[in-house]
Amino acid sequence: MNNNSSFLYTVDGGLKKGIKNNRLDTSSPLPHNKDDGGNDNMNNDKYVTHEELELSNEKLLHHIDNRFNDMSKNIDNRFNKIELDLNSVKSETKFANAKINWILGILSAVIGGTLVALITSLLK
């Protein structure tokens, strides 16, 4: 290599002469000097513009938000169903407790009346 010239490395590992005698070599334009914004081997499927990247990010975030909202609705529906089931069990328990209270009330009246009759007959 000559001390008077420097070389630039391209992305694919090739050498490109860029500076000669401490001056920029303009005989072959560098990729950033071209009007199309890139060199000839730049594929559209490998590179995107900032606008395309932002649009893709916005679409992805919108999709994630939609999935999150769907999952949130699903979880809310499940909790509502569990709450309805729990309320149903509570009302059945209250009804069963009311039945037990009636049965105990009737039994205590019968047993109490029987005891009073026994005690009265024993005391005569």
Side-chain angles (χ1 to χ4, degrees), residues 33-79:
N33 289 338
K34 287 185 176 182
D35 291 336
D36 65 356
N39 58 11
D40 294 334
N41 66 354
M42 193 170 169
N43 296 335
N44 286 336
D45 59 339
K46 289 185 180 180
Y47 303 97
V48 296
T49 63
H50 288 283
E51 292 84 14
E52 291 171 331
L53 182 61
E54 285 296 320
L55 180 64
S56 175
N57 285 342
E58 286 179 21
K59 285 181 181 179
L60 184 61
L61 289 174
H62 183 69
H63 179 72
I64 290 171
D65 286 342
N66 287 341
R67 291 293 294 161
F68 180 77
N69 288 335
D70 290 345
M71 290 174 60
S72 178
K73 287 177 187 175
N74 191 10
I75 290 171
D76 288 342
N77 289 339
R78 287 184 184 186
F79 276 119

Side-chain angles (χ1 to χ4, degrees), residues 5 10 15 26-27 58 62 68-69 71 95 99 111 113 115:
S5 61
T10 60
L15 290 176
T26 57
S27 61
E58 286 179 21
H62 183 69
F68 180 77
N69 288 335
M71 290 174 60
F95 183 68
K99 279 185 178 180
I111 293 174
L115 285 177

Side-chain angles (χ1 to χ4, degrees), residues 2 5-8 15-20 24-25 28 30:
N2 192 346
S5 61
S6 297
F7 292 90
L8 298 175
L15 290 176
K16 191 173 243 184
K17 199 171 240 185
I19 300 175
K20 285 184 183 175
L24 185 61
D25 180 12
S28 63
L30 294 174

